Amino acid sequence: MRCLVVDDSRELCAVLKLTLKSREHVVLEAFDGEEAWTILQEEQVDIVISDWVMPRLDGLGLCKRIRAEEVDDYTYFIMLTSITENLDIISALEAGADDFLSKPVELENLQARVHSASRILNLQKSLKEKNQALKLAYDNVQSELKIAAEMQRNLLPKGDIKPNSNLTIKWLFHPSQLVGGDIFNYLYLDNEHVAFYSLDVAGHGVAAAMLSVSLHKVLSSEFCLHSDAIMKTTPEITDHIVDPSIVMRRLNTQFLMDVDSHQYFTMIYGVLNIRTGKLMYCQAAHPHPILISSEGKARSLGEGGFPVGLVETSIYDTLSVDLVSGDRLILHSDGITECTNLSNEPLGEQRLMDFFVQHHDVSMQELMFDLHNYLLEWRGGKYEFTDDISLVAFEFNEPC
Amino acid sequence: MLLENMEKNGILVVKLLEKRLDAHLAVEFKETLARLISEGHRKILLDLETVEFIDSSGLGAIVSALKRISGENGDLIICSLQDATSSMFKLTRMDKVFSIYTSESEALSVVA
């Protein structure tokens, strides 16, 4: 240990120094508080053994100054006291003294106190090293997660599907942690069919995100496969469009969870004919899609359905609806309807539907902006959620 | 997690005394049911009277227990769903997968 002895008696300093040196400590000395403080500015010191009553700066003042300036390494402070001086031990403890040693100093007692100080400082040092290692590990995980979050965000579609298309698409995405289990996409199967999905893996965080990303890959290749097949034939043939319920059935077989995990997902998969407005979709336990007409009438679509990957014997149905010009179709994950306000009340389907009715005549761009603010207000001013949230809005207009 | 187990007419009644069965509880709940099944229970009635909300992780935990007990030729049935949890079972068609009864006494009288 590196010790600093501080006393205005040069003889006492010399004795203390000799005793400690014999125990292989490095010992520095100062003859008052100010001198000690100057040394402390330049030298690394583990233990200060200081007299209380000294000229210029006394022991109490020195101790207070050390505690006030302490940043990283702890300095152990032993105060020398004398029964002839009427000193207030409590004020010294409050100033940050760790131990006391009465004068005249018994050298064995001094060695024992310094030994106990070394033990405490060593414990503190090892704790500090462990904390540093922990922080490093935590920072590594966080930066890896940030990269993963960026990768996941990059999988999301970039905006409208095609410039000047009669389909306008806007979305909102906010994982509850850096990465999440919600994902969605939309793309052309051929010149007139747009396929889309919105899915939500049970749970959130890393495990859910890993499944959502693999599903994104599978679904994108599935989509591409079929558009290839269509390109080879004539664009008018729609037989090659795979029925949404079949897509769901395939996914259910491919991603069936085993008894030890409970990873499964809810999903909407649909195909919209952007020429006729005919929409075919399959709802796998995902919240009901909302349809808003240009006059502001709302409908909740679908009849529910089995989730994907949960039960082997699940049966899926394809439903269809004809969109007319100006219709908006809203897909969302339950993170939105289940997000609570400050009184712990969930937003619910009705309120979300009312929001879209009230905003039926604003532009799609504004709609997403207003929805963001609406959710922000609902959450009491904090745009933070306990579950992942995602929402995709489509506006269909009659082709010109 | 607050849970109450009671053997009635050869059926283990498991009453979950929580308001929410969500991602925070799902793993512990699933493991508890797995342990009860491995201890030899083959008929479990899950009473969800106090549960106001079940999320997808919670549902996954219940289905996982059903799969486990079915693998041992047993059965897991459910009673006393509140409105919100009941509509969750309907939305996900789990009302087709589980036998669901309105009350514990109804479930016991039918199954025992």
Short mmCIF file of all heavy atoms in Angstrom, two decimals, chain A residues 333-368:
data_model
loop_
_atom_site.label_atom_id
_atom_site.label_comp_id
_atom_site.label_asym_id
_atom_site.label_seq_id
_atom_site.Cartn_x
_atom_site.Cartn_y
_atom_site.Cartn_z
N SER A 333 -50.35 -4.60 -34.84
CA SER A 333 -50.08 -5.65 -33.86
C SER A 333 -50.77 -5.27 -32.55
O SER A 333 -51.16 -4.12 -32.35
CB SER A 333 -48.58 -5.80 -33.64
OG SER A 333 -48.04 -4.63 -33.07
N ASP A 334 -50.93 -6.25 -31.64
CA ASP A 334 -51.69 -5.97 -30.41
C ASP A 334 -50.95 -5.04 -29.46
O ASP A 334 -51.53 -4.57 -28.48
CB ASP A 334 -52.09 -7.27 -29.71
CG ASP A 334 -50.89 -8.14 -29.35
OD1 ASP A 334 -49.74 -7.66 -29.48
OD2 ASP A 334 -51.09 -9.29 -28.92
N GLY A 335 -49.66 -4.75 -29.75
CA GLY A 335 -48.92 -3.80 -28.92
C GLY A 335 -49.60 -2.44 -28.89
O GLY A 335 -49.50 -1.71 -27.90
N ILE A 336 -50.31 -2.09 -29.96
CA ILE A 336 -50.99 -0.79 -30.01
C ILE A 336 -52.28 -0.82 -29.19
O ILE A 336 -52.49 0.02 -28.32
CB ILE A 336 -51.29 -0.37 -31.46
CG1 ILE A 336 -49.97 -0.06 -32.18
CG2 ILE A 336 -52.24 0.82 -31.51
CD1 ILE A 336 -50.10 0.59 -33.52
N THR A 337 -53.13 -1.82 -29.44
CA THR A 337 -54.42 -1.85 -28.74
C THR A 337 -54.25 -2.17 -27.26
O THR A 337 -55.09 -1.82 -26.44
CB THR A 337 -55.37 -2.87 -29.40
OG1 THR A 337 -54.60 -4.02 -29.77
CG2 THR A 337 -56.03 -2.28 -30.61
N GLU A 338 -53.15 -2.84 -26.90
CA GLU A 338 -52.95 -3.19 -25.49
C GLU A 338 -52.09 -2.18 -24.73
O GLU A 338 -51.88 -2.34 -23.53
CB GLU A 338 -52.33 -4.59 -25.38
CG GLU A 338 -53.37 -5.68 -25.62
CD GLU A 338 -52.76 -7.03 -25.92
OE1 GLU A 338 -51.55 -7.20 -25.74
OE2 GLU A 338 -53.51 -7.91 -26.36
N CYS A 339 -51.59 -1.15 -25.42
CA CYS A 339 -50.77 -0.19 -24.68
C CYS A 339 -51.67 0.64 -23.76
O CYS A 339 -52.77 1.04 -24.12
CB CYS A 339 -49.93 0.68 -25.62
SG CYS A 339 -50.74 2.06 -26.36
N THR A 340 -51.20 0.83 -22.54
CA THR A 340 -52.05 1.42 -21.51
C THR A 340 -51.74 2.90 -21.28
O THR A 340 -50.63 3.35 -21.55
CB THR A 340 -51.86 0.68 -20.17
OG1 THR A 340 -50.46 0.58 -19.90
CG2 THR A 340 -52.44 -0.71 -20.22
N ASN A 341 -52.72 3.63 -20.76
CA ASN A 341 -52.48 5.02 -20.37
C ASN A 341 -52.03 5.05 -18.91
O ASN A 341 -51.80 4.00 -18.31
CB ASN A 341 -53.74 5.87 -20.61
CG ASN A 341 -54.92 5.40 -19.76
OD1 ASN A 341 -54.79 4.51 -18.93
ND2 ASN A 341 -56.07 5.99 -19.99
N LEU A 342 -51.94 6.23 -18.33
CA LEU A 342 -51.42 6.34 -16.96
C LEU A 342 -52.35 5.66 -15.95
O LEU A 342 -51.90 5.26 -14.88
CB LEU A 342 -51.20 7.81 -16.60
CG LEU A 342 -50.10 8.52 -17.42
CD1 LEU A 342 -50.01 9.99 -17.04
CD2 LEU A 342 -48.75 7.84 -17.24
N SER A 343 -53.64 5.50 -16.27
CA SER A 343 -54.54 4.80 -15.35
C SER A 343 -54.58 3.31 -15.66
O SER A 343 -55.51 2.61 -15.24
CB SER A 343 -55.95 5.36 -15.42
OG SER A 343 -55.99 6.65 -15.87
N ASN A 344 -53.61 2.84 -16.46
CA ASN A 344 -53.48 1.41 -16.75
C ASN A 344 -54.61 0.84 -17.59
O ASN A 344 -54.89 -0.35 -17.54
CB ASN A 344 -53.36 0.64 -15.44
CG ASN A 344 -52.20 -0.32 -15.49
OD1 ASN A 344 -51.38 -0.26 -16.42
ND2 ASN A 344 -52.11 -1.20 -14.53
N GLU A 345 -55.25 1.70 -18.35
CA GLU A 345 -56.36 1.28 -19.18
C GLU A 345 -55.83 1.01 -20.59
O GLU A 345 -55.13 1.85 -21.14
CB GLU A 345 -57.35 2.45 -19.21
CG GLU A 345 -58.72 2.13 -19.65
CD GLU A 345 -59.53 3.43 -19.74
OE1 GLU A 345 -59.06 4.48 -19.26
OE2 GLU A 345 -60.61 3.38 -20.32
N PRO A 346 -56.12 -0.16 -21.17
CA PRO A 346 -55.62 -0.41 -22.53
C PRO A 346 -56.33 0.46 -23.57
O PRO A 346 -57.51 0.79 -23.39
CB PRO A 346 -55.90 -1.89 -22.76
CG PRO A 346 -56.93 -2.27 -21.77
CD PRO A 346 -56.86 -1.31 -20.62
N LEU A 347 -55.63 0.80 -24.63
CA LEU A 347 -56.20 1.66 -25.68
C LEU A 347 -57.44 1.01 -26.30
O LEU A 347 -58.47 1.65 -26.45
CB LEU A 347 -55.14 1.94 -26.76
CG LEU A 347 -55.56 2.83 -27.91
CD1 LEU A 347 -55.67 4.27 -27.44
CD2 LEU A 347 -54.58 2.74 -29.06
N GLY A 348 -57.32 -0.27 -26.63
CA GLY A 348 -58.47 -1.01 -27.15
C GLY A 348 -58.74 -0.75 -28.62
O GLY A 348 -58.33 0.25 -29.19
N GLU A 349 -59.47 -1.70 -29.21
CA GLU A 349 -59.76 -1.66 -30.65
C GLU A 349 -60.68 -0.48 -31.00
O GLU A 349 -60.49 0.16 -32.02
CB GLU A 349 -60.45 -2.97 -31.04
CG GLU A 349 -59.67 -3.75 -32.07
CD GLU A 349 -60.31 -5.08 -32.36
OE1 GLU A 349 -60.57 -5.83 -31.39
OE2 GLU A 349 -60.56 -5.38 -33.54
N GLN A 350 -61.67 -0.24 -30.13
CA GLN A 350 -62.66 0.79 -30.45
C GLN A 350 -62.02 2.17 -30.55
O GLN A 350 -62.27 2.91 -31.50
CB GLN A 350 -63.78 0.79 -29.38
CG GLN A 350 -64.98 1.62 -29.77
CD GLN A 350 -65.59 1.18 -31.12
OE1 GLN A 350 -65.86 -0.01 -31.33
NE2 GLN A 350 -65.76 2.13 -32.03
N ARG A 351 -61.15 2.49 -29.58
CA ARG A 351 -60.50 3.81 -29.61
C ARG A 351 -59.62 3.97 -30.85
O ARG A 351 -59.59 5.02 -31.46
CB ARG A 351 -59.65 4.02 -28.36
CG ARG A 351 -60.42 4.60 -27.22
CD ARG A 351 -59.48 5.20 -26.18
NE ARG A 351 -60.16 5.27 -24.90
CZ ARG A 351 -60.19 4.28 -24.01
NH1 ARG A 351 -59.53 3.16 -24.26
NH2 ARG A 351 -60.86 4.38 -22.89
N LEU A 352 -58.92 2.87 -31.20
CA LEU A 352 -58.05 2.94 -32.38
C LEU A 352 -58.90 3.17 -33.62
O LEU A 352 -58.57 3.99 -34.48
CB LEU A 352 -57.23 1.64 -32.50
CG LEU A 352 -56.19 1.64 -33.60
CD1 LEU A 352 -55.09 2.67 -33.33
CD2 LEU A 352 -55.56 0.26 -33.79
N MET A 353 -60.03 2.46 -33.68
CA MET A 353 -60.93 2.60 -34.82
C MET A 353 -61.47 4.03 -34.88
O MET A 353 -61.50 4.65 -35.94
CB MET A 353 -62.07 1.62 -34.64
CG MET A 353 -62.46 0.93 -35.92
SD MET A 353 -63.90 -0.01 -35.59
CE MET A 353 -63.45 -1.61 -35.84
N ASP A 354 -61.89 4.55 -33.71
CA ASP A 354 -62.40 5.93 -33.65
C ASP A 354 -61.36 6.93 -34.15
O ASP A 354 -61.70 7.88 -34.84
CB ASP A 354 -62.79 6.30 -32.21
CG ASP A 354 -64.01 5.51 -31.73
OD1 ASP A 354 -64.67 4.89 -32.59
OD2 ASP A 354 -64.27 5.49 -30.51
N PHE A 355 -60.10 6.67 -33.79
CA PHE A 355 -59.04 7.57 -34.25
C PHE A 355 -59.02 7.62 -35.78
O PHE A 355 -58.96 8.70 -36.38
CB PHE A 355 -57.67 7.11 -33.72
CG PHE A 355 -56.53 7.85 -34.35
CD1 PHE A 355 -56.10 9.07 -33.83
CD2 PHE A 355 -55.91 7.35 -35.50
CE1 PHE A 355 -55.08 9.77 -34.45
CE2 PHE A 355 -54.89 8.05 -36.11
CZ PHE A 355 -54.47 9.26 -35.59
N PHE A 356 -59.09 6.45 -36.41
CA PHE A 356 -59.02 6.43 -37.88
C PHE A 356 -60.27 7.03 -38.53
O PHE A 356 -60.19 7.62 -39.59
CB PHE A 356 -58.76 5.01 -38.39
CG PHE A 356 -57.33 4.59 -38.17
CD1 PHE A 356 -57.01 3.61 -37.24
CD2 PHE A 356 -56.30 5.20 -38.86
CE1 PHE A 356 -55.70 3.25 -37.02
CE2 PHE A 356 -54.98 4.85 -38.64
CZ PHE A 356 -54.67 3.87 -37.72
N VAL A 357 -61.41 6.87 -37.86
CA VAL A 357 -62.64 7.50 -38.36
C VAL A 357 -62.48 9.02 -38.31
O VAL A 357 -62.73 9.71 -39.29
CB VAL A 357 -63.86 7.04 -37.54
CG1 VAL A 357 -65.08 7.88 -37.89
CG2 VAL A 357 -64.14 5.56 -37.80
N GLN A 358 -62.03 9.52 -37.15
CA GLN A 358 -61.87 10.97 -37.00
C GLN A 358 -60.83 11.54 -37.97
O GLN A 358 -60.90 12.71 -38.33
CB GLN A 358 -61.45 11.32 -35.57
CG GLN A 358 -62.61 11.30 -34.59
CD GLN A 358 -62.15 11.00 -33.17
OE1 GLN A 358 -60.97 11.11 -32.86
NE2 GLN A 358 -63.08 10.59 -32.33
N HIS A 359 -59.87 10.72 -38.36
CA HIS A 359 -58.81 11.22 -39.24
C HIS A 359 -58.95 10.70 -40.67
O HIS A 359 -57.98 10.65 -41.41
CB HIS A 359 -57.44 10.82 -38.68
CG HIS A 359 -57.10 11.51 -37.40
ND1 HIS A 359 -57.67 11.19 -36.20
CD2 HIS A 359 -56.28 12.55 -37.15
CE1 HIS A 359 -57.19 11.97 -35.25
NE2 HIS A 359 -56.36 12.81 -35.79
N HIS A 360 -60.19 10.34 -41.06
CA HIS A 360 -60.34 9.71 -42.39
C HIS A 360 -60.02 10.68 -43.52
O HIS A 360 -59.67 10.25 -44.62
CB HIS A 360 -61.75 9.12 -42.56
CG HIS A 360 -62.81 10.16 -42.77
ND1 HIS A 360 -63.41 10.84 -41.73
CD2 HIS A 360 -63.36 10.64 -43.92
CE1 HIS A 360 -64.29 11.69 -42.23
NE2 HIS A 360 -64.28 11.59 -43.55
N ASP A 361 -60.14 11.98 -43.28
CA ASP A 361 -59.91 12.90 -44.40
C ASP A 361 -58.55 13.59 -44.38
O ASP A 361 -58.31 14.48 -45.18
CB ASP A 361 -61.06 13.93 -44.50
CG ASP A 361 -61.35 14.59 -43.16
OD1 ASP A 361 -60.62 14.28 -42.18
OD2 ASP A 361 -62.27 15.41 -43.09
N VAL A 362 -57.66 13.20 -43.47
CA VAL A 362 -56.31 13.78 -43.56
C VAL A 362 -55.45 12.89 -44.47
O VAL A 362 -55.79 11.73 -44.70
CB VAL A 362 -55.63 13.92 -42.16
CG1 VAL A 362 -56.49 14.71 -41.21
CG2 VAL A 362 -55.27 12.57 -41.57
N SER A 363 -54.36 13.44 -44.97
CA SER A 363 -53.51 12.67 -45.88
C SER A 363 -52.85 11.52 -45.12
O SER A 363 -52.78 11.54 -43.89
CB SER A 363 -52.43 13.57 -46.48
OG SER A 363 -51.46 13.84 -45.48
N MET A 364 -52.40 10.54 -45.84
CA MET A 364 -51.77 9.37 -45.22
C MET A 364 -50.53 9.77 -44.42
O MET A 364 -50.25 9.23 -43.36
CB MET A 364 -51.39 8.35 -46.30
CG MET A 364 -52.59 7.66 -46.89
SD MET A 364 -53.23 6.40 -45.78
CE MET A 364 -52.16 5.04 -46.21
N GLN A 365 -49.79 10.72 -44.96
CA GLN A 365 -48.59 11.22 -44.28
C GLN A 365 -48.95 11.82 -42.92
O GLN A 365 -48.39 11.46 -41.89
CB GLN A 365 -47.93 12.29 -45.18
CG GLN A 365 -46.60 12.80 -44.67
CD GLN A 365 -45.48 11.80 -44.91
OE1 GLN A 365 -45.45 11.14 -45.94
NE2 GLN A 365 -44.58 11.66 -43.95
N GLU A 366 -49.97 12.68 -42.94
CA GLU A 366 -50.43 13.32 -41.70
C GLU A 366 -51.01 12.29 -40.74
O GLU A 366 -50.89 12.42 -39.52
CB GLU A 366 -51.52 14.35 -42.00
CG GLU A 366 -51.00 15.71 -42.44
CD GLU A 366 -52.16 16.60 -42.83
OE1 GLU A 366 -52.77 17.20 -41.94
OE2 GLU A 366 -52.47 16.64 -44.04
N LEU A 367 -51.67 11.30 -41.31
CA LEU A 367 -52.31 10.27 -40.50
C LEU A 367 -51.30 9.60 -39.56
O LEU A 367 -51.53 9.43 -38.37
CB LEU A 367 -52.94 9.22 -41.43
CG LEU A 367 -53.72 8.10 -40.78
CD1 LEU A 367 -54.99 8.63 -40.13
CD2 LEU A 367 -54.08 7.02 -41.81
N MET A 368 -50.14 9.26 -40.12
CA MET A 368 -49.11 8.59 -39.32
C MET A 368 -48.53 9.54 -38.28
O MET A 368 -48.25 9.16 -37.15
CB MET A 368 -47.98 8.08 -40.22
CG MET A 368 -48.37 6.91 -41.08
SD MET A 368 -48.82 5.47 -40.10
CE MET A 368 -50.52 5.29 -40.56
#
